[in-house]
Amino acid sequence: MRRRLIEHAKLAEAGTFDALFFADGLNYGPPATWAYKITEDFEPLTATAALSAVTERVGLVVTGSATLAHPYHLARQLLSLDHLSGGRAGWNLVTSFARAAADNFSANGVVDHDERYQIAEEALDVVRKLWDGWGEDTVVEDRATGIFNDTSKIRVANHHGKYFDVAGPIGAARSAQGRPVLFQAGSSDTGRTFAARHAEVIFTSHGNRRRAQEFYRQIHAEARRLGRSTAPLITPSLRYLVGSTDEEARRAEREEYQYFSPQYQAGWLLEVDVDVTGADLDGPVPASAFPANTETHQTALAGYRALASEGNPTVREFLYRTVNGWGAAVVGTPERIADEIEEWFTTAAADGFVLRDSGLPGQTELFVEQVVPVLRKRGLFRHEYAGTTLRSHLGLQVPVR
């Protein structure tokens, strides 16, 4: 696993990708998935700290729960990663909807959807206070007196709120990029407002360009309403399958369909309250698979319900669709994939993409070797890194303290 992680990180850097993204669920998943999962379910902050030592430019975006992890730990760990990587860290802020995750943190069940965002608002406020404790003129390093810090210029958090009491400070100055880049994936009404207010990059999933364009417009309008001069970058997920010809790509897709595990997918969907376990794989998706509403992951429930209603798929076909969540997908030649990326970018549906390969061996290599050169030739992608930090890759300014 260590070797694969390092090879993947170096491949992404060779392709001049902005960043690697590490998801995390704070649990091993529903028991129905355990038989089908590898045991190398590593904690992302530890893994990316190791990768920071074997890469130089590619960003490292890790998932951290604002509702289950304590903000003092989050602030300290994320800023440490930012320093160790030379300013390449990003924080994907999540609000942890899974019951299995709550059960690992002495939580009394899953907090209601909107309250999770209230907790996240306060947690983010605490984290930012801790990150901004040191200014450019706080560290003096007076060797004659042995004084390293001008304590009059340390901003101590002294936070006392509804959910957290945090004194501070943390013993780390601002990083080469000021502080880690904030990523967020809120798509419900509450989550979208939170993302429009705080996020610098938004992850999202839309199965077609029209819906992506509408989301793009909504976020930009909401960001303006909230007084932001610059809207967050919008980065939908895009699953790809590359082939030297369209037929080769379709063969790869048929191979993927043949070998995907419907049992694993059915077990995983339990985490978002969708239950097709025990259903006839070659029969229709039962209406009972979906609850009327949920306080866990509202956007996921709506997305999966839509997947089950498009074209009356069998349970097996529906489960295969869920491999990609409810995001966009493109299968074809490097030129075909580049066409799709260009169309979304030039029609204000996306500022970039969270790429998801099919899981078949060699697909990431094919993207770097065959799709990236096409994008470069069209002037849509960098030939080399212009800076060293994640903010510089994304064209983001260093936040003012």
Side-chain angles (χ1 to χ4, degrees):
M1 179 64 172
R2 176 179 178 274
R3 181 174 59 82
R4 289 201 302 272
L5 273 174
I6 292 172
E7 288 175 352
H8 188 68
K10 289 186 173 181
L11 181 62
E13 190 162 80
T16 62
F17 286 10
D18 294 319
L20 291 165
F21 169 68
F22 290 81
D24 194 35
L26 295 177
N27 68 90
Y28 195 51
T33 66
W34 293 355
Y36 310 99
K37 295 186 71 174
I38 63 171
T39 55
E40 296 161 339
D41 186 28
F42 295 146
E43 190 278 316
L45 275 159
T46 310
T48 49
L51 293 178
S52 72
V54 295
T55 57
E56 295 181 354
R57 299 294 183 92
V58 69
L60 303 165
V61 181
V62 298
T63 298
S65 173
T67 52
L68 294 178
H70 196 280
Y72 184 88
H73 280 311
L74 284 170
R76 193 176 183 211
Q77 292 168 331
L78 288 161
L79 190 55
S80 295
L81 175 62
D82 212 16
H83 278 284
L84 289 171
S85 64
R88 294 186 281 139
W91 175 22
N92 175 39
L93 186 159
V94 299
T95 58
S96 295
F97 61 85
R99 293 186 185 91
D103 290 344
N104 287 331
F105 287 82
S106 303
N108 185 22
V110 178
V111 177
D112 287 349
H113 180 273
D114 286 359
E115 187 176 6
R116 291 204 306 273
Y117 280 98
Q118 294 171 22
I119 297 170
E121 286 275 359
E122 187 175 333
L124 179 57
D125 182 38
V126 174
V127 168
R128 283 173 168 164
K129 287 176 181 177
L130 293 169
W131 280 346
D132 290 344
W134 260 247
E136 300 299 327
D137 57 351
T138 306
V139 179
V140 294
E141 294 187 353
D142 187 336
R143 296 182 182 274
T145 62
I147 293 175
F148 288 89
N149 301 303
D150 182 345
T151 57
S152 69
K153 295 178 180 177
I154 298 174
R155 293 181 183 173
V156 181
N158 280 331
H159 178 92
H160 303 286
K162 180 178 179 180
Y163 300 103
F164 303 106
D165 289 286
V166 180
I170 55 174
R174 283 160 63 90
S175 72
Q177 64 173 353
R179 59 191 184 206
V181 178
L182 185 66
F183 293 69
Q184 219 275 320
S187 293
S188 65
D189 289 343
T190 303
R192 189 166 59 241
T193 299
F194 181 92
R197 177 180 291 115
H198 297 296
E200 295 171 283
V201 183
I202 296 178
F203 292 139
T204 185
S205 292
H206 296 286
N208 65 61
R209 189 163 52 91
R210 180 189 58 78
R211 287 201 294 267
Q213 289 171 321
E214 178 60 24
F215 180 81
Y216 194 102
R217 288 192 293 268
Q218 289 173 346
I219 290 294
H220 276 244
E222 185 70 3
R224 286 193 300 271
R225 186 185 71 81
L226 293 167
R228 294 184 63 170
S229 58
T230 304
L233 299 173
I234 311 296
T235 58
S237 66
L238 179 66
R239 175 180 165 272
Y240 64 88
L241 258 171
V242 187
S244 58
T245 65
D246 284 331
E247 178 52 35
E248 184 179 301
R250 293 298 175 189
R251 281 200 302 270
E253 186 176 38
R254 291 193 293 271
E255 180 182 355
E256 182 193 36
Y257 181 74
Q258 181 180 356
Y259 289 108
F260 97 100
S261 171
Q263 292 80 11
Y264 169 78
Q265 285 301 121
W268 184 85
L269 287 175
L270 292 171
E271 194 154 271
V272 290
D273 296 333
V274 177
D275 188 358
V276 293
T277 56
D280 179 4
L281 289 175
D282 297 311
V285 180
S288 61
F290 302 94
N293 53 64
T294 180
E295 281 294 340
T296 54
H297 202 311
Q298 297 176 0
T299 305
L301 181 62
Y304 291 123
R305 185 181 280 115
L307 287 180
S309 65
E310 294 173 2
N312 298 315
T314 65
V315 171
R316 188 189 309 273
E317 291 166 341
F318 164 69
L319 289 171
Y320 178 68
R321 292 178 180 181
T322 69
V323 171
N324 188 41
W326 57 98
V330 57
V331 177
T333 63
E335 291 75 17
R336 169 77 183 89
I337 293 171
D339 287 344
E340 189 77 3
I341 290 172
E342 182 173 10
E343 187 171 25
W344 280 56
F345 177 69
T346 57
T347 60
D351 296 307
F353 294 91
V354 180
L355 297 175
R356 302 178 59 178
D357 69 34
S358 65
L360 292 177
Q363 279 293 307
T364 305
E365 288 86 348
L366 286 174
F367 191 95
V368 170
E369 294 168 2
Q370 299 184 20
V371 181
V372 167
V374 177
L375 294 171
R376 287 172 172 166
K377 186 175 181 180
R378 298 183 186 184
L380 296 170
F381 200 58
R382 66 172 68 89
H383 287 263
E384 58 186 24
Y385 292 109
T388 61
T389 69
L390 179 54
R391 287 187 182 279
S392 67
H393 303 342
L394 298 171
L396 299 174
Q397 298 296 314
V398 175
V400 176
R401 177 178 182 245

